[in-house]
Amino acid sequence: MRIAVCDDEKLIRDTIAERIKKLYPFYEILKYKNGEKLLEDTIESDIVFLDIQMDGMDGIETAKCLRKRNKKIILIFLTAWEEYVFQAFDVEAFHYLIKPLRKEKFYQVLEAAINKVEEIQGAMQKKREEKSILVKVGTSSQKIYLDEIIYAEIYNRKVTLYTITKNIEFYAKMSNLEQELGEDFVRPHRSYLVHLRYVSKYCATDITLENGTVILLAKQKYKEFVKRYMKYIKRIEEQV
């Protein structure tokens, strides 16, 4: 479990970190003095304690950026003023804590957040076990979970799978891979296969993924892509 604490007051950062360590000594605690420092770090946290009022980028704007990168992240806001709490609903905050932090309330919210992360991770693990592919990399075979694949690219018969943790290269036919990956993946260009869950935006010529990668969208593929993407969005909304 990885927990981040972002607050411009060092005393608050240290207090929260100490309280977490007392109950959960093996958890990784990351501390940041402002939103910019938090967003600069590429390490993903499971839970973020986030001060609303900070110099520079405030907690709400920071949370919006975090939510774009990770829709499952647990956000807990810290504030000295209750009227700011209503802004937290816009970024799907899990909870909020009023300063000064009461120890009993803090531990209550922390425990609830940890239980929620474990619930999410358990559901993801179950889903991964159900949906994966086996690829031949050199002399060994690797199991790759479909929900971790962002996109695939082929060049000179070599496919590169870009996942949320690593890149994997192997030889394969893109048409075979397309069939194996299934309906959540679309081929917007002969050189690419894109996982629809990681699409951030698109236009007539390209697709931007959540990690910032821009993928070419062939003119003749545009209508098919839009149709598939809209169908995917509708299916996901129905599952919620």
Side-chain angles (χ1 to χ4, degrees):
M1 187 83 66
R2 185 178 289 123
I3 302 176
V5 183
C6 183
D7 196 295
D8 55 6
E9 296 182 59
K10 186 177 185 300
L11 179 60
I12 296 290
R13 297 196 300 270
D14 292 343
T15 298
I16 290 176
E18 287 170 10
R19 287 182 181 179
I20 296 170
K21 281 293 184 184
K22 278 185 179 179
L23 287 188
Y24 305 98
F26 300 109
Y27 286 179
E28 183 179 359
I29 313 297
L30 305 171
K31 295 186 283 187
Y32 306 90
K33 64 181 181 181
N34 55 49
E36 287 86 353
K37 290 292 183 184
L38 173 58
L39 293 173
E40 282 174 10
D41 201 335
T42 57
I43 298 175
E44 291 284 348
S45 295
D46 301 296
I47 300 170
V48 178
F49 287 90
L50 186 58
D51 186 21
I52 292 182
Q53 300 91 25
M54 294 186 291
D55 292 333
M57 182 180 285
D58 65 23
I60 299 298
E61 289 304 313
T62 303
K64 288 178 181 177
C65 295
L66 289 173
R67 185 62 74 202
K68 286 180 181 179
R69 282 173 17 183
N70 184 350
K71 289 183 169 46
K72 291 183 173 63
I73 195 168
I74 301 296
L75 299 172
I76 300 170
F77 281 110
L78 311 170
T79 180
W81 309 97
E82 279 196 71
E83 58 265 30
Y84 286 101
V85 167
F86 295 103
Q87 300 177 48
F89 294 111
D90 294 334
V91 288
E92 302 173 50
F94 178 77
H95 217 298
Y96 65 90
L97 292 167
I98 302 298
K99 297 177 182 179
L101 303 178
R102 292 191 296 111
K103 188 177 292 188
E104 182 180 348
K105 182 65 176 178
F106 174 82
Y107 282 126
Q108 180 185 343
V109 173
L110 174 63
E111 185 177 356
I114 289 171
N115 289 339
K116 184 64 177 178
V117 171
E118 290 175 346
E119 178 186 322
I120 291 170
Q121 290 178 344
M124 287 178 67
Q125 182 61 33
K126 184 177 180 181
K127 184 179 178 182
R128 286 173 180 172
E129 289 171 357
E130 294 172 354
K131 295 184 178 181
S132 63
I133 60 171
L134 202 62
V135 299
K136 186 87 171 191
V137 182
T139 58
S140 63
S141 296
Q142 289 188 30
K143 182 164 74 171
I144 311 297
Y145 296 112
L146 267 59
D147 67 342
E148 292 189 348
I149 300 172
I150 302 171
Y151 72 101
E153 181 181 13
I154 190 166
Y155 182 76
N156 284 344
R157 298 191 306 111
K158 180 179 280 189
V159 171
T160 302
L161 278 184
Y162 294 87
T163 78
I164 59 176
T165 57
K166 58 187 175 181
N167 302 333
I168 303 156
E169 293 185 345
F170 58 98
Y171 288 97
K173 288 185 178 180
M174 204 64 149
S175 56
N176 292 343
L177 183 62
E178 183 178 7
Q179 289 185 345
E180 195 172 3
L181 291 179
E183 63 177 345
D184 288 353
F185 291 78
V186 66
R187 198 169 177 182
H189 185 277
R190 59 188 176 85
S191 299
Y192 299 99
L193 257 175
V194 171
H195 196 162
L196 291 169
R197 72 173 290 182
Y198 292 106
V199 172
S200 175
K201 61 181 180 179
Y202 66 88
C203 64
T205 57
D206 55 60
I207 301 163
T208 302
L209 304 181
E210 289 183 358
N211 65 356
T213 300
V214 178
I215 302 293
L216 293 175
L217 176 53
K219 185 178 180 181
Q220 66 271 25
K221 294 281 190 177
Y222 178 75
K223 287 185 179 180
E224 179 192 353
F225 169 78
V226 174
K227 181 180 178 180
R228 292 274 303 277
Y229 187 57
M230 291 300 108
K231 183 179 178 181
Y232 171 81
I233 294 296
K234 183 180 179 181
R235 177 161 54 84
I236 295 302
E237 287 176 348
E238 289 174 350
Q239 292 174 357
V240 176

